[in-house]
Amino acid sequence: MRPDGQQAVDAMRNDVIYCSLPRTTRGIVRWEDQLEVLVSLLDCEGGRGRDGRLEVGAMPDGALDTAVRADEVGSEEDLYDDLHGSSHHYSHSGGGGEQLAINELISDGSVVCAEALWDHVTMDDQELGFKAGDVIEVMDATNREWWWGRVADGEGWFPASFVRLRVNQDEPADDEAPRAGDRGAEDGGAEAQSSKDQMRTNVINEILSTERDYIKHLRDICEGYVRQCRKRADMFSEEQLRTIFGNIEDIYRCQKAFVKALEQRFNRERPHLSELGACFLEHQADFQIYSEYCNNHPNACVELSRLTKLSKYVYFFEACRLLQKMIDISLDGFLLTPVQKICKYPLQLAELLKYTHPQHRDFKDVEAALHAMKNVAQLINERKRRLENIDKIAQWQSSIEDWEGEDLLVRSSELIYSGELIRVTQPQARSQQRMFFLFDHQLIYCKKDLLRRDVLYYKGRLDMDGLEVVDLEDGKDRDLHVSIKNAFRLHCGTTGDSHLLCTRKPEQKQRWLKAFAREREQVRLDQETGFSITELQRKQAMLNASKQQVTGKPKAVGRPCYLTRQKHPALPSSRPQQQVLVLAEPRRKPSTFWHSISRLAPFRK
């Protein structure tokens, strides 16, 4: 007989496995037998012992984690468990228990703060926009994916995966922090220093603890998914595996060497004296491999979305997860973790530097490491922002009437600037008012509908790669023999063609001239860093634009109901279920933000 607690675990496991199996196998009720079916789905040769019985935790031979020997730093399970109970720390709420703890803190009146990992670009007035590094006060974390928070500019919903909870939640504000030199008594200064040492210990413990969690996470992906997929050549080609998983195995190897170095520099007797900054400096070149992974990640999402439309892949991936005993998250969620991880390092190092005394032996190394990791994260954050914008560019193009020629995304991925300009054309020097949109590599101009001013008609485009921007003085133009004001010319040296454009005000002209300079700089940086949009990404963006899909999030008319003197949000129970769902997720109207300069701010860095 199993203990009652074990029976409860088995019952829950049985429910999970039951829902993951094809309907034809659901008559099997014992969880051991259901796992047998999962093994047959995997066609896993290494999942059985000598007696033929299933070994759920069995790892195939030649596992990647042999790169770190157990006699050097201990097994990864030891690393995972070693410091978990040493000190309380805050981390992202990956599970229900931690999420419940966050909400309990909030309900008790505690201020829970999180730091932004990435820019959150949004045009929705119910979402909270912020930049990487901003501090957000979390006001509601009841939903797993979308939290309600507040920054200086307002409140709104934001993706929980975009932030990292602070380690020291109860720390005083910077301007209120006591300074030891201002205290008259020596014991007061010692107490303040002791508190700072404890906070440094908290940060160090969090760095080590999250690294151990991360290593286990990477191992689960490599052993639980990558290795099993390679056994099924009938389901996955090598090209598909490279698209889905990128260079995650290289990341796994580098991270194991990194966590080994961290362990060696960890002072177990006096953790606040640990010197971790040098580890980041020694391995900063290794972190560059994250750039390749992050660039490939959108392709991985597209490929997974395509595969999971077929039930056999859904069953296969779920079988991989269950046999590896991983938490209940889809594969695309697991694959997002390296992208999140590389952007957490600058925040962790900034907090470590904050509690490191200038005379500490680790101070200069932490300072240098923070600068190095900021550069890595900034490049990745910028690439992520650019790739997110391609969907919006595709949606904008689909809203333009009478579009001609190739898609915008064939050459462009960034809206630099937009606004109304007066175009003076030859031969009669006719003036036409047009809307111009400056992207990298090209300038699109459209005509507004006479009755519906939010409708645009495509009129043409200019190739910015072959044009020179010439600032013109007010007066008479020598080519067209007309008086001009606030004008500039776009001249093509190879063909001799030129385009005369005018603004209404001098300051508008200066903004356009600066925008043209930014466009050339953007093109230069893209060439240096190798940034480009793949054919797969472009096609997926255009497909999404045609479908006009709306992403779901827990939005209401305004802030969560319980924050307006109601403890729990509630939807009207008297309405039919279909209407209730509509209330919970208001239908969005087509946005006209592309047609207004003031609404284009989030597209500019």
Side-chain angles (χ1 to χ4, degrees):
M1 278 291 285
R2 297 168 182 249
D4 292 340
Q6 185 61 47
Q7 288 178 347
V9 171
D10 291 346
M12 289 189 294
R13 184 184 299 170
N14 186 53
D15 291 340
V16 172
I17 297 174
Y18 182 84
C19 295
S20 307
L21 290 171
R23 294 181 184 273
T24 55
T25 64
R26 289 187 177 181
I28 306 172
V29 294
R30 293 176 65 248
W31 70 270
E32 294 95 336
D33 295 335
Q34 289 177 338
L35 280 175
E36 294 278 0
V37 177
L38 294 179
V39 171
S40 67
L41 288 172
L42 286 174
D43 192 24
C44 176
E45 298 177 358
R48 296 178 181 275
R50 293 182 179 179
D51 58 355
R53 296 188 63 187
L54 178 67
E55 295 179 358
V56 179
M59 289 292 107
D61 295 336
L64 283 173
D65 53 349
T66 56
V68 177
R69 302 297 180 186
D71 58 345
E72 292 179 323
V73 295
S75 68
E76 288 175 9
E77 286 78 5
D78 294 337
L79 293 180
Y80 178 75
D81 297 329
D82 192 23
L83 279 185
H84 249 260
S86 61
S87 174
H88 176 72
H89 66 278
Y90 291 85
S91 61
H92 193 276
S93 57
E98 291 181 348
Q99 188 174 353
L100 181 61
I102 295 170
N103 281 301
E104 287 180 354
L105 285 172
I106 295 173
S107 62
D108 290 342
S110 301
V111 177
V112 177
C113 293
E115 294 172 304
L117 297 171
W118 304 306
D119 297 351
H120 181 220
V121 179
T122 178
M123 299 308 304
D124 196 315
D125 56 4
Q126 293 185 34
E127 291 182 20
L128 185 67
F130 46 74
K131 290 186 174 294
D134 286 354
V135 177
I136 301 111
E137 180 185 348
V138 181
M139 304 173 69
D140 174 27
T142 53
N143 185 275
R144 186 173 183 174
E145 297 180 355
W146 288 84
W147 292 353
W148 183 272
R150 174 167 59 199
V151 293
D153 296 335
E155 300 178 6
W157 296 104
F158 64 91
S161 60
F162 274 47
V163 301
R164 161 192 174 264
L165 291 171
R166 275 184 165 176
V167 178
N168 299 299
Q169 292 286 344
D170 54 351
E171 62 184 81
D174 290 341
D175 54 351
E176 297 175 0
R179 290 184 287 270
D182 297 338
R183 295 175 181 264
E186 294 183 0
D187 58 344
E191 182 180 349
Q193 183 59 43
S194 176
S195 175
K196 194 168 185 178
D197 289 345
Q198 180 57 49
M199 288 184 171
R200 190 173 199 273
T201 297
N202 292 345
V203 178
I204 289 172
N205 283 341
E206 190 226 14
I207 291 175
L208 287 167
S209 178
T210 54
E211 283 301 315
R212 293 171 182 132
D213 290 345
Y214 184 44
I215 284 291
K216 182 179 183 300
H217 180 95
L218 291 175
R219 186 198 66 186
D220 285 343
I221 294 175
C222 292
E223 303 293 358
Y225 285 100
V226 181
R227 191 165 294 274
Q228 300 291 1
C229 290
R230 284 209 175 101
K231 294 179 180 179
R232 298 301 303 269
D234 59 317
M235 295 177 66
F236 303 95
S237 66
E238 280 298 323
E239 183 180 355
Q240 279 181 310
L241 293 180
R242 186 68 181 176
T243 299
I244 295 172
F245 298 103
N247 61 336
I248 197 166
E249 290 173 306
D250 296 332
I251 291 175
Y252 181 32
R253 282 188 283 266
C254 290
Q255 287 298 140
K256 285 189 294 187
F258 178 61
V259 77
K260 177 183 175 182
L262 288 176
E263 290 290 342
Q264 290 174 344
R265 292 183 177 270
F266 177 63
N267 188 326
R268 296 180 181 274
E269 300 298 326
R270 305 177 71 185
H272 67 280
L273 297 180
S274 301
E275 300 176 22
L276 305 186
C279 295
F280 283 91
L281 293 178
E282 291 168 3
H283 292 81
Q284 63 176 315
D286 295 335
F287 290 121
Q288 298 295 329
I289 64 175
Y290 276 86
S291 180
E292 177 185 342
Y293 184 87
C294 294
N295 291 344
N296 178 72
H297 184 256
N299 298 336
C301 295
V302 172
E303 182 65 16
L304 279 176
S305 176
R306 187 182 69 83
L307 292 179
T308 51
K309 292 177 182 177
L310 303 175
S311 59
K312 71 173 183 178
Y313 287 98
V314 176
Y315 298 142
F316 180 85
F317 289 138
E318 183 65 1
C320 290
R321 184 187 70 80
L322 288 170
L323 284 176
Q324 193 66 19
K325 297 186 287 188
M326 300 168 74
I327 59 175
D328 188 11
I329 297 178
S330 60
L331 177 55
D332 57 346
F334 288 122
L335 295 178
L336 178 63
T337 306
V339 184
Q340 295 173 318
K341 184 63 178 177
I342 195 64
C343 293
K344 283 184 180 180
Y345 284 131
L347 301 180
Q348 290 178 323
L349 287 169
E351 198 166 3
L352 182 61
L353 183 65
K354 180 178 180 180
Y355 299 112
T356 303
H357 194 277
Q359 302 303 318
H360 196 291
R361 291 176 56 182
D362 200 28
F363 183 83
K364 289 185 178 180
D365 284 344
V366 173
E367 194 173 40
L370 173 60
H371 178 72
M373 296 307 297
K374 272 185 175 180
N375 290 338
V376 175
Q378 184 178 1
L379 175 62
I380 293 172
N381 186 38
E382 174 64 13
R383 288 175 180 270
K384 180 178 181 296
R385 184 187 67 84
R386 294 279 297 280
L387 290 173
E388 285 177 348
N389 278 345
I390 67 176
D391 281 334
K392 298 176 183 178
I393 291 176
Q395 290 172 11
W396 176 80
Q397 178 185 315
S398 66
S399 71
I400 303 298
E401 301 289 340
D402 301 336
W403 183 270
E404 296 179 4
E406 65 183 13
D407 292 335
L408 256 176
L409 293 177
V410 172
R411 300 185 61 205
S412 302
S413 61
E414 176 86 350
L415 175 67
I416 309 295
Y417 194 66
S418 72
E420 288 188 340
L421 291 172
I422 298 172
R423 179 171 179 257
V424 183
T425 60
Q426 295 176 334
Q428 289 113 2
R430 294 175 53 192
S431 61
Q432 301 172 334
Q433 187 169 311
R434 297 285 184 261
M435 280 295 300
F436 281 78
F437 300 88
L438 177 61
F439 296 87
D440 52 315
H441 298 288
Q442 53 190 323
L443 180 67
I444 308 294
Y445 55 97
C446 304
K447 178 183 178 181
K448 287 186 176 181
D449 188 271
L450 293 176
L451 298 178
R452 294 186 57 191
R453 304 299 286 175
D454 61 334
V455 176
L456 296 176
Y457 294 89
Y458 176 88
K459 288 300 178 183
R461 74 180 79 195
L462 302 176
D463 184 358
M464 294 304 301
D465 293 340
L467 294 179
E468 177 188 2
V469 182
V470 181
D471 186 6
L472 301 178
E473 296 182 356
D474 294 348
K476 193 168 186 178
D477 181 69
R478 290 178 295 180
D479 295 337
L480 297 179
H481 306 290
V482 293
S483 295
I484 57 174
K485 190 176 183 180
N486 306 324
F488 54 88
R489 187 186 303 278
L490 303 179
H491 179 72
C492 180
T494 56
T495 64
D497 294 339
S498 64
H499 307 270
L500 182 62
L501 303 173
C502 304
T503 64
R504 296 185 181 277
K505 298 179 181 180
E507 55 268 26
Q508 293 175 339
K509 173 184 172 180
Q510 294 304 315
R511 284 196 287 267
W512 272 104
L513 293 177
K514 291 179 180 178
F516 286 123
R518 289 202 309 273
E519 185 271 338
R520 289 292 87 191
E521 178 66 14
Q522 186 70 68
V523 171
R524 184 187 66 80
L525 289 175
D526 287 348
Q527 291 174 345
E528 288 182 358
T529 59
F531 178 83
S532 63
I533 298 175
T534 65
E535 182 70 12
L536 185 62
Q537 291 169 346
R538 183 184 68 81
K539 288 182 177 180
Q540 186 64 34
M542 297 305 298
L543 180 63
N544 293 341
S546 64
K547 290 181 178 180
Q548 289 290 314
Q549 292 177 339
V550 180
T551 56
K553 60 180 78 59
K555 297 207 293 188
V557 175
R559 56 197 308 207
C561 301
Y562 85 93
L563 293 178
T564 56
R565 291 193 291 272
Q566 247 188 318
K567 188 171 183 180
H568 300 289
L571 292 169
S573 58
S574 58
R575 293 181 176 271
Q577 182 65 22
Q578 185 177 3
Q579 295 184 25
V580 170
L581 293 175
V582 172
L583 287 175
E585 176 56 42
R587 186 179 300 275
R588 294 183 180 178
K589 297 179 181 179
S591 175
T592 60
F593 64 87
W594 288 87
H595 309 148
S596 171
I597 295 177
S598 62
R599 298 294 297 277
L600 290 170
F603 284 86
R604 300 194 297 271
K605 185 69 178 171

